[in-house]
């Protein structure tokens, strides 16, 4: 099934939340992800409420819903790079302060990406679907993602960010990482081509073992 990313621009107002929740339900239904509707709607409500509360009523905002590998990714874009979402401790008598704590509790991961002209607050929900490549994300992929997340935070093109990289950003971070590793090999007098050949052979052997 093709799940085409969709975005909608809106004004951050309380009355817009119900409209956004309905559209999320419709899209996830058409994507065959009805089991995630409740969690996704809650995430949208809390992320938009966060903009209304901390950035301001009437802020021009964008909602994006897309697939990131085998995860459903929800993004809310707003123009204020100063007001960063954070987890706070809210006691039982508090009327607010629980938004990002709820997002933290029901999602697999969330984060904030700072760009030159906007802030992107995002979260991801595991769908249980196979990854686009049909491979299970085992420990090697998990280790690579952890390294790329750290490397991407300092990458010269990715900018200041918090949280996990998208697939496109991860690809850019991987290019920077591999390039720097080649420089490291050259600085230590090693044959970069030989190392790349050996790495490719090891990768192909591991893929073959998984497929057998």
């Amino acid at each position: 099934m093709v799940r085409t990313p969709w975005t909608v621009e809106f004004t951050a107002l309380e009355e817009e939340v119900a409209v956004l929740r309905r559209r999320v339900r419709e899209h996830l239904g058409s994507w065959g992800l009805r089991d995630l509707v409740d969690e996704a709607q809650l995430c949208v409500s809390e992320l938009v409420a966060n903009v209304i509360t901390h950035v301001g009523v009437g802020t021009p905002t964008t909602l994006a819903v897309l697939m990131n590998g085998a995860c459903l990714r929800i993004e809310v874009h707003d123009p204020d790079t100063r007001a960063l979402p954070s987890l706070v401790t809210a006691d039982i008598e508090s009327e607010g302060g629980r938004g990002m704590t709820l997002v933290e509790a029901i999602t697999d991961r969330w984060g904030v990406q700072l760009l030159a002209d906007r802030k992107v607050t995002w979260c991801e929900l595991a769908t249980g679907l196979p990854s686009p490549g049909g491979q299970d994300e085992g420990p090697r992929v998990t280790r690579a993602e952890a390294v790329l997340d750290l490397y991407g935070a300092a990458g010269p093109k990715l900018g200041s960010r918090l949280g996990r990289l998208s697939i496109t950003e991860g690809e850019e971070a991987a290019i920077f990482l591999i390039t720097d590793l080649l420089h490291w090999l050259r600085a230590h007098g090693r044959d970069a081509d030989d190392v790349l050949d050996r790495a490719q052979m090891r990768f192909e052997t591991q893929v073959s073992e998984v497929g057998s």
Side-chain angles (χ1 to χ4, degrees):
M1 177 183 295
V2 177
R3 299 176 176 88
T4 304
W6 64 276
T7 61
V8 57
E9 296 179 355
F10 64 97
T11 302
L13 300 169
E14 290 187 7
E15 52 265 35
E16 289 289 331
V17 175
V19 177
L20 295 171
R21 287 171 60 91
R22 184 174 66 251
R23 294 196 63 180
V24 167
R25 182 179 68 248
E26 293 170 351
H27 277 83
L28 295 191
S30 66
W31 286 2
L33 298 176
R34 293 179 180 83
D35 290 345
L36 295 181
V37 167
D38 290 344
E39 290 88 346
Q41 287 182 322
L42 178 57
C43 289
V44 169
S45 297
E46 297 301 336
L47 295 182
V48 174
N50 196 74
V51 174
I52 294 172
T53 302
H54 299 290
V55 182
V57 175
T59 299
T61 311
T62 300
L63 170 68
V65 180
L66 62 153
M67 296 299 296
N68 183 25
C71 289
L72 176 71
R73 183 180 178 97
I74 299 168
E75 300 179 349
V76 170
H77 302 230
D78 72 73
D80 191 344
T81 59
R82 298 167 300 172
L84 298 180
S86 60
L87 299 176
V88 299
T89 301
D91 60 40
I92 193 171
E93 301 296 331
S94 299
E95 295 183 0
R98 298 190 181 93
M100 298 313 298
T101 302
L102 285 173
V103 172
E104 166 83 7
I106 67 173
T107 63
D108 290 87
R109 50 200 181 220
W110 72 277
V112 184
Q113 181 179 7
L114 300 180
L115 303 175
D117 60 343
R118 66 189 185 279
K119 171 173 83 265
V120 180
T121 307
W122 59 266
C123 60
E124 292 186 350
L125 296 161
T127 64
L129 299 172
S131 63
Q135 301 290 333
D136 293 331
E137 296 189 356
R140 295 186 182 95
V141 175
T142 301
R143 288 197 301 267
E145 286 185 342
V147 172
L148 291 176
D149 286 344
L150 293 173
Y151 205 82
K157 290 180 63 179
L158 297 179
S160 176
R161 54 160 292 115
L162 301 170
R164 207 172 190 87
L165 300 177
S166 69
I167 291 178
T168 300
E169 293 165 337
E171 182 178 2
E172 289 296 312
I175 292 171
F176 286 124
L177 174 58
I178 293 169
T179 302
D180 284 354
L181 289 174
L182 294 176
H183 281 292
W184 183 89
L185 290 167
R186 179 181 180 184
H188 288 79
R190 313 305 295 179
D191 186 339
D193 288 336
D194 176 63
V195 172
L196 288 173
D197 288 342
R198 287 157 53 196
Q200 181 68 27
M201 290 176 60
R202 180 174 297 180
F203 168 73
E204 290 175 354
T205 299
Q206 292 173 348
V207 170
S208 176
E209 290 174 349
V210 170
S212 60

